[in-house]
Amino acid sequence: MGNTSLKGCCPFPGHTDSSPSCYIVTSKKFVKCFGCGSYETNPIKFVAMVTGSSWANAVKMLRDKGVKSLPAKAVQEVQEAEIRDEVKSMLALAFNTVLVEAIDKKNDPEYAFAKECVEYIESRGIKLDKDLIKWLPIGILPPWVMLRKHILANSERCYDYIKDWITADYVGSLVFFYHKTPTEISRFKLRADHLRKDKTSKDIVYVKDEN
């Protein structure tokens, strides 16, 4: 791969690499292990992941190693960025998990709010296969009481992020995830055509995200 890449044993947690299978490709700005499939494009997130530390500690570590492009104020900035990333990642996982549950329990009254969404997905030619859906960047917006069950941390931040849309008009919307990198979510899109009487017009909104 030329002199713009490094090859070595996988440093990602949970993978014991018996032979070098991980590449750091500096020219394309990514790290990928072809053994376990782990992939990362955010260098701070990568250092935090392989050292088992926070993003802020990863910045401190890099500064101590002489990375001069990271000013002292970067520590505070990445602390906030890490929380934002965690909030979006948890919401995405929760939205997707509830959609998978709704498909699995489509006759359960608790998931009646998801009926139109599940039917809409199927009408678009997507097979209602749980093993397929859980790998797609989609989910469903459930009532907060159900969403809350899947939020493991920063529940207040998660609620603040999505509260404007947890309403009678949008609960049951299909949620799409947009990524700024393959491992980081930038924003969410809600599609609610299937919830409207007039299903010929589009109802698409984006969740507000200042970042």
mmCIF file of all heavy atoms in Angstrom, residues 157-194:
data_model
loop_
_atom_site.group_PDB
_atom_site.id
_atom_site.type_symbol
_atom_site.label_atom_id
_atom_site.label_comp_id
_atom_site.label_asym_id
_atom_site.label_seq_id
_atom_site.Cartn_x
_atom_site.Cartn_y
_atom_site.Cartn_z
ATOM 1 N N ARG A 157 -29.584 14.587 28.224
ATOM 2 C CA ARG A 157 -29.081 15.133 26.954
ATOM 3 C C ARG A 157 -29.798 14.485 25.775
ATOM 4 O O ARG A 157 -30.100 15.152 24.783
ATOM 5 C CB ARG A 157 -27.566 14.902 26.845
ATOM 6 C CG ARG A 157 -26.707 15.743 27.775
ATOM 7 C CD ARG A 157 -26.588 17.186 27.310
ATOM 8 N NE ARG A 157 -25.874 17.311 26.052
ATOM 9 C CZ ARG A 157 -24.586 17.618 25.944
ATOM 10 N NH1 ARG A 157 -23.865 17.828 27.035
ATOM 11 N NH2 ARG A 157 -24.009 17.726 24.771
ATOM 12 N N CYS A 158 -30.050 13.195 25.873
ATOM 13 C CA CYS A 158 -30.770 12.496 24.801
ATOM 14 C C CYS A 158 -32.173 13.065 24.647
ATOM 15 O O CYS A 158 -32.649 13.296 23.527
ATOM 16 C CB CYS A 158 -30.838 11.002 25.097
ATOM 17 S SG CYS A 158 -29.272 10.125 24.926
ATOM 18 N N TYR A 159 -32.840 13.297 25.776
ATOM 19 C CA TYR A 159 -34.199 13.832 25.726
ATOM 20 C C TYR A 159 -34.194 15.240 25.132
ATOM 21 O O TYR A 159 -35.026 15.570 24.277
ATOM 22 C CB TYR A 159 -34.807 13.862 27.127
ATOM 23 C CG TYR A 159 -36.199 14.457 27.141
ATOM 24 C CD1 TYR A 159 -37.283 13.743 26.640
ATOM 25 C CD2 TYR A 159 -36.421 15.742 27.639
ATOM 26 C CE1 TYR A 159 -38.559 14.289 26.628
ATOM 27 C CE2 TYR A 159 -37.688 16.300 27.632
ATOM 28 C CZ TYR A 159 -38.759 15.569 27.129
ATOM 29 O OH TYR A 159 -40.018 16.122 27.116
ATOM 30 N N ASP A 160 -33.251 16.074 25.564
ATOM 31 C CA ASP A 160 -33.170 17.440 25.043
ATOM 32 C C ASP A 160 -32.947 17.444 23.535
ATOM 33 O O ASP A 160 -33.448 18.321 22.827
ATOM 34 C CB ASP A 160 -32.039 18.212 25.728
ATOM 35 C CG ASP A 160 -32.394 18.623 27.153
ATOM 36 O OD1 ASP A 160 -33.589 18.616 27.483
ATOM 37 O OD2 ASP A 160 -31.463 18.932 27.927
ATOM 38 N N TYR A 161 -32.192 16.457 23.064
ATOM 39 C CA TYR A 161 -31.871 16.405 21.630
ATOM 40 C C TYR A 161 -33.105 16.094 20.788
ATOM 41 O O TYR A 161 -33.268 16.636 19.691
ATOM 42 C CB TYR A 161 -30.795 15.338 21.392
ATOM 43 C CG TYR A 161 -30.237 15.343 19.987
ATOM 44 C CD1 TYR A 161 -29.148 16.141 19.654
ATOM 45 C CD2 TYR A 161 -30.807 14.564 18.981
ATOM 46 C CE1 TYR A 161 -28.642 16.169 18.365
ATOM 47 C CE2 TYR A 161 -30.312 14.579 17.691
ATOM 48 C CZ TYR A 161 -29.231 15.379 17.384
ATOM 49 O OH TYR A 161 -28.741 15.398 16.106
ATOM 50 N N ILE A 162 -33.983 15.242 21.284
ATOM 51 C CA ILE A 162 -35.088 14.738 20.461
ATOM 52 C C ILE A 162 -36.458 15.207 20.936
ATOM 53 O O ILE A 162 -37.476 14.943 20.305
ATOM 54 C CB ILE A 162 -35.036 13.180 20.419
ATOM 55 C CG1 ILE A 162 -35.867 12.629 19.240
ATOM 56 C CG2 ILE A 162 -35.479 12.574 21.743
ATOM 57 C CD1 ILE A 162 -35.291 12.959 17.890
ATOM 58 N N LYS A 163 -36.539 15.953 22.055
ATOM 59 C CA LYS A 163 -37.823 16.259 22.698
ATOM 60 C C LYS A 163 -38.815 16.988 21.789
ATOM 61 O O LYS A 163 -40.036 16.793 21.908
ATOM 62 C CB LYS A 163 -37.590 17.073 23.972
ATOM 63 C CG LYS A 163 -37.017 18.465 23.735
ATOM 64 C CD LYS A 163 -36.794 19.200 25.052
ATOM 65 C CE LYS A 163 -36.204 20.590 24.817
ATOM 66 N NZ LYS A 163 -35.965 21.306 26.095
ATOM 67 N N ASP A 164 -38.320 17.843 20.886
ATOM 68 C CA ASP A 164 -39.222 18.617 20.033
ATOM 69 C C ASP A 164 -40.026 17.740 19.081
ATOM 70 O O ASP A 164 -41.031 18.194 18.511
ATOM 71 C CB ASP A 164 -38.449 19.656 19.222
ATOM 72 C CG ASP A 164 -37.902 20.777 20.098
ATOM 73 O OD1 ASP A 164 -38.385 20.916 21.240
ATOM 74 O OD2 ASP A 164 -36.980 21.487 19.655
ATOM 75 N N TRP A 165 -39.591 16.491 18.898
ATOM 76 C CA TRP A 165 -40.241 15.610 17.934
ATOM 77 C C TRP A 165 -40.967 14.444 18.582
ATOM 78 O O TRP A 165 -41.637 13.682 17.879
ATOM 79 C CB TRP A 165 -39.203 15.106 16.922
ATOM 80 C CG TRP A 165 -38.537 16.249 16.237
ATOM 81 C CD1 TRP A 165 -37.293 16.755 16.477
ATOM 82 C CD2 TRP A 165 -39.118 17.102 15.248
ATOM 83 N NE1 TRP A 165 -37.053 17.853 15.697
ATOM 84 C CE2 TRP A 165 -38.155 18.089 14.927
ATOM 85 C CE3 TRP A 165 -40.353 17.121 14.597
ATOM 86 C CZ2 TRP A 165 -38.396 19.089 13.986
ATOM 87 C CZ3 TRP A 165 -40.585 18.118 13.662
ATOM 88 C CH2 TRP A 165 -39.619 19.076 13.361
ATOM 89 N N ILE A 166 -40.835 14.297 19.895
ATOM 90 C CA ILE A 166 -41.571 13.226 20.579
ATOM 91 C C ILE A 166 -42.975 13.749 20.868
ATOM 92 O O ILE A 166 -43.334 14.103 21.991
ATOM 93 C CB ILE A 166 -40.854 12.773 21.866
ATOM 94 C CG1 ILE A 166 -39.433 12.316 21.529
ATOM 95 C CG2 ILE A 166 -41.596 11.617 22.520
ATOM 96 C CD1 ILE A 166 -38.649 11.841 22.729
ATOM 97 N N THR A 167 -43.759 13.842 19.809
ATOM 98 C CA THR A 167 -45.115 14.381 19.862
ATOM 99 C C THR A 167 -46.066 13.420 19.163
ATOM 100 O O THR A 167 -45.635 12.490 18.473
ATOM 101 C CB THR A 167 -45.186 15.741 19.154
ATOM 102 O OG1 THR A 167 -44.932 15.541 17.749
ATOM 103 C CG2 THR A 167 -44.156 16.714 19.712
ATOM 104 N N ALA A 168 -47.357 13.668 19.343
ATOM 105 C CA ALA A 168 -48.360 12.815 18.702
ATOM 106 C C ALA A 168 -48.228 12.835 17.181
ATOM 107 O O ALA A 168 -48.570 11.864 16.503
ATOM 108 C CB ALA A 168 -49.760 13.268 19.119
ATOM 109 N N ASP A 169 -47.696 13.942 16.640
ATOM 110 C CA ASP A 169 -47.556 14.053 15.183
ATOM 111 C C ASP A 169 -46.397 13.250 14.627
ATOM 112 O O ASP A 169 -46.414 12.861 13.454
ATOM 113 C CB ASP A 169 -47.372 15.525 14.788
ATOM 114 C CG ASP A 169 -48.674 16.301 14.846
ATOM 115 O OD1 ASP A 169 -49.735 15.675 14.766
ATOM 116 O OD2 ASP A 169 -48.608 17.540 14.987
ATOM 117 N N TYR A 170 -45.372 13.009 15.457
ATOM 118 C CA TYR A 170 -44.169 12.383 14.908
ATOM 119 C C TYR A 170 -43.747 11.067 15.552
ATOM 120 O O TYR A 170 -42.873 10.376 15.004
ATOM 121 C CB TYR A 170 -43.001 13.379 14.923
ATOM 122 C CG TYR A 170 -43.138 14.390 13.806
ATOM 123 C CD1 TYR A 170 -43.743 15.624 14.036
ATOM 124 C CD2 TYR A 170 -42.725 14.095 12.511
ATOM 125 C CE1 TYR A 170 -43.910 16.541 13.010
ATOM 126 C CE2 TYR A 170 -42.887 14.993 11.477
ATOM 127 C CZ TYR A 170 -43.487 16.216 11.727
ATOM 128 O OH TYR A 170 -43.662 17.109 10.696
ATOM 129 N N VAL A 171 -44.316 10.687 16.671
ATOM 130 C CA VAL A 171 -44.031 9.355 17.213
ATOM 131 C C VAL A 171 -44.527 8.333 16.193
ATOM 132 O O VAL A 171 -45.662 8.401 15.721
ATOM 133 C CB VAL A 171 -44.734 9.140 18.572
ATOM 134 C CG1 VAL A 171 -44.762 7.656 18.935
ATOM 135 C CG2 VAL A 171 -44.016 9.920 19.667
ATOM 136 N N GLY A 172 -43.666 7.404 15.832
ATOM 137 C CA GLY A 172 -43.969 6.438 14.777
ATOM 138 C C GLY A 172 -43.297 6.778 13.460
ATOM 139 O O GLY A 172 -43.407 6.035 12.481
ATOM 140 N N SER A 173 -42.553 7.899 13.435
ATOM 141 C CA SER A 173 -41.825 8.290 12.215
ATOM 142 C C SER A 173 -40.683 7.330 11.941
ATOM 143 O O SER A 173 -40.079 6.772 12.862
ATOM 144 C CB SER A 173 -41.242 9.697 12.372
ATOM 145 O OG SER A 173 -42.241 10.659 12.541
ATOM 146 N N LEU A 174 -40.369 7.171 10.671
ATOM 147 C CA LEU A 174 -39.182 6.428 10.275
ATOM 148 C C LEU A 174 -37.988 7.357 10.430
ATOM 149 O O LEU A 174 -38.023 8.511 9.992
ATOM 150 C CB LEU A 174 -39.309 5.978 8.814
ATOM 151 C CG LEU A 174 -38.153 5.172 8.230
ATOM 152 C CD1 LEU A 174 -37.941 3.866 8.981
ATOM 153 C CD2 LEU A 174 -38.401 4.889 6.743
ATOM 154 N N VAL A 175 -36.941 6.878 11.084
ATOM 155 C CA VAL A 175 -35.753 7.698 11.340
ATOM 156 C C VAL A 175 -34.596 7.210 10.470
ATOM 157 O O VAL A 175 -34.296 6.009 10.433
ATOM 158 C CB VAL A 175 -35.331 7.627 12.824
ATOM 159 C CG1 VAL A 175 -34.167 8.584 13.084
ATOM 160 C CG2 VAL A 175 -36.503 7.953 13.749
ATOM 161 N N PHE A 176 -33.957 8.143 9.781
ATOM 162 C CA PHE A 176 -32.769 7.847 8.993
ATOM 163 C C PHE A 176 -31.561 8.459 9.694
ATOM 164 O O PHE A 176 -31.637 9.571 10.214
ATOM 165 C CB PHE A 176 -32.871 8.431 7.583
ATOM 166 C CG PHE A 176 -33.956 7.823 6.740
ATOM 167 C CD1 PHE A 176 -35.248 8.332 6.780
ATOM 168 C CD2 PHE A 176 -33.695 6.730 5.929
ATOM 169 C CE1 PHE A 176 -36.256 7.780 6.012
ATOM 170 C CE2 PHE A 176 -34.694 6.169 5.157
ATOM 171 C CZ PHE A 176 -35.992 6.692 5.200
ATOM 172 N N PHE A 177 -30.425 7.752 9.685
ATOM 173 C CA PHE A 177 -29.201 8.258 10.301
ATOM 174 C C PHE A 177 -28.253 8.746 9.208
ATOM 175 O O PHE A 177 -27.990 8.029 8.248
ATOM 176 C CB PHE A 177 -28.472 7.154 11.096
ATOM 177 C CG PHE A 177 -29.371 6.291 11.944
ATOM 178 C CD1 PHE A 177 -29.007 4.984 12.232
ATOM 179 C CD2 PHE A 177 -30.575 6.766 12.455
ATOM 180 C CE1 PHE A 177 -29.818 4.171 13.010
ATOM 181 C CE2 PHE A 177 -31.392 5.966 13.238
ATOM 182 C CZ PHE A 177 -31.019 4.665 13.519
ATOM 183 N N TYR A 178 -27.733 9.947 9.388
ATOM 184 C CA TYR A 178 -26.720 10.477 8.478
ATOM 185 C C TYR A 178 -25.381 10.492 9.195
ATOM 186 O O TYR A 178 -25.301 10.855 10.368
ATOM 187 C CB TYR A 178 -27.093 11.891 8.018
ATOM 188 C CG TYR A 178 -28.198 11.903 7.000
ATOM 189 C CD1 TYR A 178 -29.529 11.798 7.380
ATOM 190 C CD2 TYR A 178 -27.907 12.001 5.647
ATOM 191 C CE1 TYR A 178 -30.544 11.794 6.442
ATOM 192 C CE2 TYR A 178 -28.916 11.993 4.688
ATOM 193 C CZ TYR A 178 -30.240 11.888 5.096
ATOM 194 O OH TYR A 178 -31.237 11.876 4.160
ATOM 195 N N HIS A 179 -24.335 10.100 8.487
ATOM 196 C CA HIS A 179 -23.005 9.994 9.089
ATOM 197 C C HIS A 179 -22.049 11.034 8.503
ATOM 198 O O HIS A 179 -22.051 11.273 7.294
ATOM 199 C CB HIS A 179 -22.410 8.598 8.860
ATOM 200 C CG HIS A 179 -23.098 7.525 9.639
ATOM 201 N ND1 HIS A 179 -24.327 7.010 9.273
ATOM 202 C CD2 HIS A 179 -22.729 6.867 10.769
ATOM 203 C CE1 HIS A 179 -24.685 6.080 10.148
ATOM 204 N NE2 HIS A 179 -23.738 5.978 11.059
ATOM 205 N N LYS A 180 -21.232 11.628 9.373
ATOM 206 C CA LYS A 180 -20.165 12.508 8.875
ATOM 207 C C LYS A 180 -18.900 11.706 8.616
ATOM 208 O O LYS A 180 -18.054 12.091 7.819
ATOM 209 C CB LYS A 180 -19.898 13.655 9.845
ATOM 210 C CG LYS A 180 -19.453 13.272 11.238
ATOM 211 C CD LYS A 180 -19.273 14.529 12.085
ATOM 212 C CE LYS A 180 -18.898 14.187 13.511
ATOM 213 N NZ LYS A 180 -18.757 15.391 14.352
ATOM 214 N N THR A 181 -18.761 10.576 9.318
ATOM 215 C CA THR A 181 -17.735 9.578 9.019
ATOM 216 C C THR A 181 -18.440 8.227 9.192
ATOM 217 O O THR A 181 -19.540 8.174 9.753
ATOM 218 C CB THR A 181 -16.520 9.648 9.975
ATOM 219 O OG1 THR A 181 -16.910 9.138 11.270
ATOM 220 C CG2 THR A 181 -16.016 11.074 10.126
ATOM 221 N N PRO A 182 -17.834 7.150 8.750
ATOM 222 C CA PRO A 182 -18.495 5.848 8.908
ATOM 223 C C PRO A 182 -18.813 5.471 10.357
ATOM 224 O O PRO A 182 -19.665 4.621 10.593
ATOM 225 C CB PRO A 182 -17.481 4.870 8.293
ATOM 226 C CG PRO A 182 -16.764 5.685 7.278
ATOM 227 C CD PRO A 182 -16.621 7.041 7.918
ATOM 228 N N THR A 183 -18.146 6.102 11.322
ATOM 229 C CA THR A 183 -18.380 5.744 12.721
ATOM 230 C C THR A 183 -19.002 6.869 13.552
ATOM 231 O O THR A 183 -19.192 6.702 14.747
ATOM 232 C CB THR A 183 -17.056 5.312 13.388
ATOM 233 O OG1 THR A 183 -16.121 6.391 13.317
ATOM 234 C CG2 THR A 183 -16.482 4.080 12.703
ATOM 235 N N GLU A 184 -19.316 8.008 12.919
ATOM 236 C CA GLU A 184 -19.883 9.130 13.666
ATOM 237 C C GLU A 184 -21.130 9.671 12.963
ATOM 238 O O GLU A 184 -21.104 9.972 11.777
ATOM 239 C CB GLU A 184 -18.848 10.247 13.807
ATOM 240 C CG GLU A 184 -17.681 9.890 14.711
ATOM 241 C CD GLU A 184 -16.696 11.035 14.841
ATOM 242 O OE1 GLU A 184 -17.111 12.120 15.280
ATOM 243 O OE2 GLU A 184 -15.521 10.838 14.484
ATOM 244 N N ILE A 185 -22.209 9.781 13.725
ATOM 245 C CA ILE A 185 -23.482 10.274 13.202
ATOM 246 C C ILE A 185 -23.492 11.793 13.224
ATOM 247 O O ILE A 185 -23.091 12.406 14.209
ATOM 248 C CB ILE A 185 -24.658 9.704 14.019
ATOM 249 C CG1 ILE A 185 -24.738 8.188 13.813
ATOM 250 C CG2 ILE A 185 -25.978 10.363 13.629
ATOM 251 C CD1 ILE A 185 -25.701 7.489 14.736
ATOM 252 N N SER A 186 -23.963 12.394 12.132
ATOM 253 C CA SER A 186 -24.035 13.851 12.080
ATOM 254 C C SER A 186 -25.423 14.349 12.457
ATOM 255 O O SER A 186 -25.572 15.316 13.191
ATOM 256 C CB SER A 186 -23.659 14.360 10.685
ATOM 257 O OG SER A 186 -24.547 13.843 9.715
ATOM 258 N N ARG A 187 -26.468 13.680 11.958
ATOM 259 C CA ARG A 187 -27.830 14.134 12.255
ATOM 260 C C ARG A 187 -28.839 13.046 11.896
ATOM 261 O O ARG A 187 -28.494 12.021 11.309
ATOM 262 C CB ARG A 187 -28.144 15.426 11.506
ATOM 263 C CG ARG A 187 -28.252 15.261 10.009
ATOM 264 C CD ARG A 187 -28.289 16.578 9.257
ATOM 265 N NE ARG A 187 -29.237 17.514 9.832
ATOM 266 C CZ ARG A 187 -29.605 18.641 9.229
ATOM 267 N NH1 ARG A 187 -29.096 18.955 8.052
ATOM 268 N NH2 ARG A 187 -30.468 19.462 9.791
ATOM 269 N N PHE A 188 -30.113 13.330 12.239
ATOM 270 C CA PHE A 188 -31.193 12.391 11.956
ATOM 271 C C PHE A 188 -32.254 13.063 11.085
ATOM 272 O O PHE A 188 -32.515 14.258 11.217
ATOM 273 C CB PHE A 188 -31.867 11.928 13.252
ATOM 274 C CG PHE A 188 -30.955 11.199 14.200
ATOM 275 C CD1 PHE A 188 -30.412 11.853 15.292
ATOM 276 C CD2 PHE A 188 -30.643 9.858 13.998
ATOM 277 C CE1 PHE A 188 -29.568 11.187 16.175
ATOM 278 C CE2 PHE A 188 -29.801 9.189 14.879
ATOM 279 C CZ PHE A 188 -29.265 9.852 15.965
ATOM 280 N N LYS A 189 -32.875 12.256 10.226
ATOM 281 C CA LYS A 189 -34.003 12.722 9.420
ATOM 282 C C LYS A 189 -35.228 11.893 9.795
ATOM 283 O O LYS A 189 -35.143 10.672 9.936
ATOM 284 C CB LYS A 189 -33.695 12.561 7.930
ATOM 285 C CG LYS A 189 -34.834 13.015 7.015
ATOM 286 C CD LYS A 189 -34.445 12.908 5.549
ATOM 287 C CE LYS A 189 -34.588 11.486 5.036
ATOM 288 N NZ LYS A 189 -34.336 11.393 3.573
ATOM 289 N N LEU A 190 -36.369 12.571 9.958
ATOM 290 C CA LEU A 190 -37.621 11.886 10.254
ATOM 291 C C LEU A 190 -38.511 11.936 9.020
ATOM 292 O O LEU A 190 -38.654 12.978 8.384
ATOM 293 C CB LEU A 190 -38.348 12.557 11.418
ATOM 294 C CG LEU A 190 -37.577 12.781 12.721
ATOM 295 C CD1 LEU A 190 -38.485 13.431 13.754
ATOM 296 C CD2 LEU A 190 -37.026 11.469 13.256
ATOM 297 N N ARG A 191 -39.109 10.790 8.706
ATOM 298 C CA ARG A 191 -40.068 10.744 7.603
ATOM 299 C C ARG A 191 -41.399 10.241 8.148
ATOM 300 O O ARG A 191 -41.457 9.157 8.731
ATOM 301 C CB ARG A 191 -39.569 9.849 6.475
ATOM 302 C CG ARG A 191 -40.506 9.854 5.280
ATOM 303 C CD ARG A 191 -39.823 9.512 3.984
ATOM 304 N NE ARG A 191 -40.700 9.817 2.862
ATOM 305 C CZ ARG A 191 -40.314 9.815 1.596
ATOM 306 N NH1 ARG A 191 -39.056 9.535 1.287
ATOM 307 N NH2 ARG A 191 -41.164 10.100 0.631
ATOM 308 N N ALA A 192 -42.454 11.049 7.941
ATOM 309 C CA ALA A 192 -43.744 10.731 8.560
ATOM 310 C C ALA A 192 -44.893 10.665 7.556
ATOM 311 O O ALA A 192 -46.060 10.774 7.933
ATOM 312 C CB ALA A 192 -44.055 11.764 9.637
ATOM 313 N N ASP A 193 -44.593 10.470 6.268
ATOM 314 C CA ASP A 193 -45.646 10.388 5.242
ATOM 315 C C ASP A 193 -46.728 9.383 5.635
ATOM 316 O O ASP A 193 -47.923 9.624 5.479
ATOM 317 C CB ASP A 193 -45.065 9.941 3.894
ATOM 318 C CG ASP A 193 -43.889 10.773 3.450
ATOM 319 O OD1 ASP A 193 -43.473 11.669 4.192
ATOM 320 O OD2 ASP A 193 -43.379 10.510 2.353
ATOM 321 N N HIS A 194 -46.266 8.233 6.129
ATOM 322 C CA HIS A 194 -47.182 7.126 6.423
ATOM 323 C C HIS A 194 -48.122 7.417 7.586
ATOM 324 O O HIS A 194 -49.097 6.693 7.784
ATOM 325 C CB HIS A 194 -46.364 5.868 6.738
ATOM 326 C CG HIS A 194 -45.303 6.084 7.773
ATOM 327 N ND1 HIS A 194 -44.090 6.662 7.465
ATOM 328 C CD2 HIS A 194 -45.278 5.842 9.106
ATOM 329 C CE1 HIS A 194 -43.347 6.746 8.565
ATOM 330 N NE2 HIS A 194 -44.058 6.271 9.579
#
